[in-house]
Amino acid sequence: MQTKEPIRCALYQMNPKVGDFRGNAEKILSVARKAADAGCSLLVTPEMSLVGYPAEDWLLRDDFCAKARAELQRLAEKLADFPDLAVLVGVPEVAEGHRFNSIAVLRAGRIEALCRKQHLPEYGVFDETRIFTPGNNTTVVTVEGVKVGLCICEDLWYPDVAQKAKAMGAEILVACNASPYEAGKARQRERTVVGHAAAAGLGLIYVNCTGGQDELIFDGASFVSDDQGTIGLRLTAFDEEFAVFETAHSYEAVAVSEETPESELYKALTLAVRDYVRKSGFTDVVLGLSGGIDSAVVAAVAVKALGAEHVHAVMMPTRFTADLSVTEARKLASNLGIHYVVRPIEPLFAAFVSELSADFKDRKPDVTEENLQARIRGVLLMAYSNKFGQLVLTTGNKSETAVGYSTLYGDTAGAFAPIKDVFKTRVWALAREINREVGFELIPETIITRAPSAELREGQTDQDSLPDYAELDAILARYMEKREDEKTIARETGLPASLVHRIVTLVHRNEYKRRQSPPGPKVSALAFGRDWRFPITTKI
């Protein structure tokens, strides 16, 4: 990246908290001191860095936006201590009866300029046109004699804003972003935005936020590229990070990390759990540890995110729980170093069955009794949550969530579902990745290889009700993410059309369960929640 004059710039890959105006401002002020001490003339922070992203309907409240504006003014005044440093801060702007997604340029104690986002996304997880009005002017500011073009996230997924900035004399482009994570998106993001900047003959400073916010994960993965599209600096994904560079430096291409998809997924889920728990005001979590693969992976992720001392597990066996499940759960808890108790629920289950025996006379045991067990477990976990202030993690995966292989108010009871967007086949792969990273069988091999079972009746396995998970996941991925129709799925997979139809029917019949289930982090191209908007009542 070459400019007429060298400018020393700082990138702040920030993890903001929605609504924490003062906390976010103090973080920006702290790194501004570091940037000034390093001799920087420009500090770049992410989109909506002052208020967090997405703030959703908070942004429709005048009092929220007024507080943000007041904090912005306060921050600008404090930055007067660094008069030679221009600081870019993401903020909502209310003007002329409209709301704008803006970047404020703070310098020498005042708000020098405001850049408004021009392209507002309204697809997938985004709904910005509901809140904001698009801007119609491109902003170029001067830093140390260098003309710097400004844009905000979606603006750079189209070529026009970069071209406008170039026409206005920009020598370099800065993009402030809140671009959510999904598997494989970082490379696609780089190719698109770098391509548009390079096509305009501009180098690019791309700063993305990091952290978890409800169902979204922000991976950071900020970078700098030159006007030929060569990336010469990359920040560490999923970490809050501060970096300094000079635009006059020529860049050699920085190699892309050879991280495996499962390793990336492990980091993403860890960040999601850590931020959901801590930003919600909790320190500890509790979960049911069954001896199965799903709860094992969730427990391992929770320990990585929060530390073993903050993770609590309860094993709740009945007459149908295999001895192996109890043994393996205990072994896993010991490996993880977490607090673990066994609380048999057989007496509670027997009491329910006895109490209902007259009403259920002459009716054979069925899913009713199975669901009773799951709901008893959910009640106990919520009791631990209430008594000890521990947030409940649920352990259902995407495959089960899709087809309703879960008990409403039972194993869906809880606050956060870490693997809600992870297919069962990937859960197994993730378990092996976790073991590979630690260098031993943290998750016992028996847990990984044993046949999955809810253990709610004698000799039960998941495949009594579902097809093999490899087949199920193939159908679900094609139907959900590729939006293929049933005939295409059957033809492309070679699976029976009747099976494909049954799975698609189950997906839509169980929408009511998903609407009442806890949120979980989005890691795929299409996740249940913000991505998925089908009616509950429908003809299928």
Side-chain angles (χ1 to χ4, degrees):
M1 179 190 305
Q2 299 290 335
T3 53
K4 292 177 181 178
E5 299 293 336
I7 54 172
R8 194 166 176 81
C9 302
L11 284 65
Y12 182 28
Q13 184 168 283
M14 180 182 175
N15 185 347
K17 182 177 180 179
V18 168
D20 188 7
F21 309 110
R22 184 59 54 87
N24 295 335
E26 289 299 322
K27 291 176 75 168
I28 295 169
L29 183 61
S30 177
V31 296
R33 291 192 183 97
K34 291 172 63 175
D37 289 345
C40 295
S41 302
L42 178 65
L43 168 62
V44 185
T45 72
E47 178 181 9
M48 288 289 164
S49 55
L50 189 65
V51 302
Y53 185 93
E56 300 183 292
D57 281 10
W58 281 116
L59 295 165
L60 295 174
R61 293 188 61 92
D62 291 340
D63 54 348
F64 184 91
C65 293
K67 289 177 183 177
R69 180 70 181 202
E71 193 61 47
L72 181 70
Q73 184 61 48
R74 173 183 171 275
L75 178 59
E77 292 168 2
K78 284 186 170 290
L79 289 170
D81 293 341
F82 321 116
D84 297 326
L85 179 68
V87 181
L88 306 186
V89 178
V91 66
E93 177 195 358
V94 180
E96 304 154 11
H98 297 279
R99 284 169 166 78
F100 300 95
N101 182 337
S102 299
I103 292 293
V105 182
L106 308 184
R107 183 159 44 184
R110 66 187 186 92
I111 303 170
E112 182 179 293
L114 285 159
C115 167
R116 296 170 178 173
K117 190 172 184 178
Q118 298 181 49
H119 292 284
L120 302 177
E122 192 177 19
Y123 56 85
V125 302
F126 301 106
D127 197 13
E128 288 199 12
T129 57
R130 181 169 173 270
I131 296 169
F132 298 117
T133 298
N136 55 17
N137 292 316
T138 301
T139 303
V140 175
V141 297
T142 302
V143 178
E144 294 293 320
V146 175
K147 290 188 177 296
V148 179
L150 306 181
C151 62
I152 304 172
C153 206
E154 191 79 3
D155 288 346
L156 204 51
W157 286 78
Y158 298 86
D160 61 315
V161 177
Q163 296 288 349
K164 291 176 187 175
K166 180 68 173 182
M168 294 173 65
E171 302 168 60
I172 187 173
L173 197 61
V174 172
C176 302
N177 307 271
S179 180
Y181 167 81
E182 63 186 52
K185 185 179 179 181
R187 300 289 84 81
Q188 176 198 5
R189 182 196 293 148
E190 284 185 2
R191 287 193 298 271
T192 301
V193 301
V194 170
H196 289 154
L202 296 171
L204 174 63
I205 302 170
Y206 184 98
V207 176
N208 192 26
C209 65
T210 188
Q213 176 58 42
D214 296 347
E215 295 172 288
L216 299 183
I217 304 169
F218 297 91
D219 55 328
S222 306
F223 60 86
V224 178
S225 64
D226 62 22
D227 56 12
Q228 299 299 308
T230 301
I231 295 176
L233 174 70
R234 283 193 177 91
L235 273 59
T236 306
F238 305 109
D239 289 343
E240 193 167 56
E241 192 171 350
F242 173 82
V244 173
F245 74 101
E246 290 188 1
T247 59
H249 288 173
S250 58
Y251 288 99
E252 295 183 3
V254 175
V256 177
S257 170
E258 295 301 324
E259 195 164 44
T260 67
E262 283 69 34
S263 177
E264 182 179 280
L265 175 62
Y266 187 26
K267 288 181 179 179
L269 296 178
T270 298
L271 178 60
V273 170
R274 180 185 300 124
D275 275 6
Y276 188 89
V277 172
R278 292 180 179 172
K279 289 181 178 180
S280 298
F282 289 80
T283 59
D284 288 41
V285 297
V286 62
L287 70 151
L289 201 62
S290 67
I293 188 66
D294 296 324
S295 63
V297 166
V298 169
V301 169
V303 168
K304 180 79 169 179
L306 305 169
E309 69 274 19
H310 297 295
V311 180
H312 310 266
V314 187
M315 172 56 146
M316 295 168 281
T318 66
R319 70 190 77 165
F320 304 118
T321 303
D323 291 341
L324 181 62
S325 296
V326 178
T327 300
E328 294 304 297
R330 182 178 289 111
K331 185 186 299 184
L332 172 66
S334 177
N335 289 350
L336 292 171
I338 61 178
H339 178 254
Y340 171 69
V341 295
V342 179
R343 295 290 178 262
I345 64 166
E346 182 63 32
L348 294 172
F349 177 48
F352 271 98
V353 172
S354 175
E355 184 68 24
L356 294 166
S357 59
D359 299 306
F360 292 173
K361 184 180 179 181
D362 299 327
R363 292 179 180 267
K364 293 181 179 180
D366 55 17
V367 70
T368 306
E369 286 74 17
E370 294 182 25
N371 287 344
L372 271 174
Q373 297 166 66
R375 288 178 178 135
I376 290 167
R377 290 178 175 127
V379 167
L380 293 187
L381 288 174
M382 292 308 301
Y384 280 97
S385 176
N386 292 155
K387 186 64 68 175
F388 302 112
Q390 300 163 353
L391 186 148
V392 178
L393 299 181
T394 65
T395 60
N397 60 63
K398 188 174 186 175
S399 309
E400 296 168 351
T401 301
V403 296
Y405 193 65
S406 58
T407 301
L408 197 59
Y409 320 123
D411 46 349
T412 62
F416 197 58
I419 57 171
K420 182 179 181 179
D421 195 29
V422 182
F423 285 127
K424 184 78 168 190
T425 47
R426 288 209 74 190
V427 174
W428 280 307
L430 183 56
R432 295 201 178 279
E433 172 61 28
I434 291 170
N435 285 351
R436 186 195 67 78
E437 287 195 18
V438 298
F440 71 100
E441 282 187 24
L442 181 71
I443 299 175
E445 182 68 14
T446 303
I447 290 179
I448 299 175
T449 57
R450 67 185 302 211
S453 170
E455 295 190 319
L456 298 174
R457 65 174 183 268
E458 198 67 47
Q460 183 183 37
T461 68
D462 290 4
Q463 269 56 65
D464 295 339
S465 305
L466 301 174
D468 179 82
Y469 276 113
E471 295 178 353
L472 176 61
D473 290 354
I475 295 170
L476 293 173
R478 286 178 174 274
Y479 184 72
M480 291 181 61
E481 297 178 11
K482 296 184 178 181
R483 293 186 171 88
E484 291 180 352
D485 60 61
E486 293 181 29
K487 289 183 179 179
T488 301
I489 295 171
R491 183 180 67 250
E492 294 296 321
T493 62
L495 295 172
S498 59
L499 173 61
V500 175
H501 178 70
R502 180 166 77 90
I503 297 305
V504 169
T505 301
L506 285 173
V507 168
H508 290 287
R509 280 185 179 170
N510 285 284
E511 182 64 28
Y512 77 100
K513 283 189 180 182
R514 291 189 291 271
R515 295 284 185 96
Q516 300 179 71
S517 298
K522 168 185 165 63
V523 295
S524 72
L526 196 153
F528 291 120
R530 299 170 67 95
D531 277 346
W532 181 269
R533 304 180 190 184
F534 283 86
I536 295 173
T537 305
T538 184
K539 185 180 186 303
I540 51 173

